[in-house]
């Protein structure tokens, strides 16, 4: 494994080690974290165009590194780190915030904890987590593999749980209108469920083709989810 110091490319950057593997570069925020924690405690989460590694422990969860999937180059990673910052569940009495930021670009939740990407700046930005998607993924699933689905243009290697109000929300699956209370994973596939029968999905997407999802929110708070999955080629 090749090890690089980001500060060698840009002296304005903090001393962050960059590791090169076959499939990705890893920017390490907690040095030698894998020597102190079992691999079963590491969760890899997709966020925008990168992944982050979290250490999940009973008492607390920690952000330890960020993964940049190839074919990016070292210079691409350094440029990204210069422009953007990653924050995990930072909070004070006023709420969640990102330090030294200019604009918040992306928020997802993992076990209720917000993971945020923001542009770098000089301010402390406070934010709300309402409406953020809860990520549910298997450990290290998808690194170096094709995504299972795209949600609003972002690649996901697992299935995010999305909850719906059938009285106001609309779900369209390959042109068919669907009544469901929530979307979640079922045996590695995208399933749609009703609260009365949570053990068995009413619709299950089992094809091998990548699923395209577009989720929009209307001014009245209702949402529309449009899903398209091409038929597998014979």
């Amino acid at each position: 494994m090749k090890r690089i110091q980001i500060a060698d490319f840009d002296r304005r950057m903090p001393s962050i080690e960059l590791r090169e593997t076959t499939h990705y570069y890893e920017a390490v925020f907690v040095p030698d974290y894998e020597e102190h924690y079992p691999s079963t405690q590491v969760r890899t989460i997709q966020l925008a165009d990168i992944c982050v590694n979290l250490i999940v422990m009973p008492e607390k969860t920690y952000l330890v590194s960020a993964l940049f999937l190839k074919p990016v180059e070292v210079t691409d990673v350094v440029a990204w780190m210069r422009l953007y910052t990653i924050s995990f569940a930072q909070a004070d009495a006023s709420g969640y915030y990102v330090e030294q930021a200019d604009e918040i670009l992306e928020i997802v939740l993992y076990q209720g904890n917000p993971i945020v990407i923001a542009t770098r700046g000089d301010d402390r930005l406070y934010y709300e987590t309402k409406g953020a998607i809860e990520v549910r993924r298997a450990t290290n699933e998808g690194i170096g593999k094709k995504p299972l689905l795209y949600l609003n243009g972002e690649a996901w290697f697992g299935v995010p749980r999305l909850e719906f109000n059938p009285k106001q929300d609309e779900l369209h699956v390959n042109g068919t209108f669907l009544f469901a209370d929530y979307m979640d994973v079922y045996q590695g596939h995208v399933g749609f469920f009703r609260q009365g029968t949570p053990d068995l999905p009413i619709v299950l997407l089992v094809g091998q083709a990548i699923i395209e999802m577009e989720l929009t929110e209307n001014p009245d708070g209702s949402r529309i989810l449009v899903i398209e999955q091409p038929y597998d080629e014979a």
Side-chain angles (χ1 to χ4, degrees):
M1 177 185 296
K2 186 176 181 180
R3 299 172 183 264
I4 306 162
Q5 292 297 324
I6 288 182
D8 291 341
F9 289 82
D10 189 336
R11 296 184 181 277
R12 296 170 296 178
M13 298 296 295
S15 180
I16 297 175
E17 182 180 77
L18 191 64
R19 301 172 180 171
E20 182 180 4
T21 70
T22 302
H23 298 297
Y24 56 83
Y25 290 95
E26 180 180 16
V28 181
F29 307 132
V30 179
D32 302 318
Y33 68 87
E34 64 272 61
E35 296 181 8
H36 303 288
Y37 303 99
S39 60
T40 54
Q41 294 176 319
V42 181
R43 302 292 186 271
T44 305
I45 308 300
Q46 182 78 26
L47 180 64
D49 55 350
I50 67 168
C51 297
V52 296
N53 274 340
L54 305 177
I55 296 293
V56 179
M57 302 180 68
E59 68 278 8
K60 192 173 182 179
T61 300
Y62 304 90
L63 172 68
V64 294
S65 68
L67 308 180
F68 299 81
L69 304 186
K70 290 183 176 181
V72 299
E73 302 292 341
V74 173
T75 51
D76 299 321
V77 177
V78 173
W80 194 99
M81 296 289 291
R82 186 187 302 122
L83 292 173
Y84 306 106
T85 184
I86 307 170
S87 177
F88 177 73
Q90 284 184 291
D92 59 17
S94 298
Y96 288 112
Y97 67 87
V98 182
E99 198 70 88
Q100 294 184 321
D102 180 63
E103 181 183 3
I104 293 173
L105 302 178
E106 185 76 14
I107 304 172
V108 301
L109 302 176
Y110 183 74
Q111 296 184 351
N113 297 306
I115 315 169
V116 177
I117 290 180
T119 55
R120 290 189 181 273
D122 300 319
D123 299 323
R124 173 178 288 190
L125 301 182
Y126 287 89
Y127 62 90
E128 300 290 336
T129 60
K130 182 180 179 181
I133 294 174
E134 176 74 27
V135 179
R136 296 191 174 189
R137 296 186 40 185
T139 304
N140 296 332
E141 181 181 0
I143 299 303
K145 301 178 182 178
K146 75 173 184 179
L148 174 66
L149 60 89
Y150 283 92
L151 176 58
N152 290 352
E154 296 177 11
W156 289 72
F157 297 89
V159 182
R161 180 184 173 98
L162 299 176
E163 296 186 357
F164 304 99
N165 181 351
K167 294 182 180 180
Q168 65 177 18
D169 297 336
E170 296 183 19
L171 281 70
H172 302 268
V173 181
N174 287 340
T176 300
F177 188 81
L178 178 67
F179 288 94
D181 294 308
Y182 63 94
M183 181 185 84
D184 207 345
V185 64
Y186 183 82
Q187 297 182 358
H189 300 288
V190 176
F192 293 88
F193 300 81
R194 295 195 178 113
Q195 297 290 357
T197 55
D199 296 331
L200 190 66
I202 56 174
V203 169
L204 187 65
L205 303 181
V206 297
Q208 298 299 312
I210 296 176
I211 303 165
E212 297 280 351
M213 298 187 178
E214 289 293 332
L215 179 64
T216 58
E217 185 168 336
N218 298 317
D220 62 0
S222 63
R223 298 186 298 170
I224 301 175
L225 179 65
V226 178
I227 298 175
E228 295 183 359
Q229 183 184 33
Y231 290 109
D232 293 341
E233 296 182 1

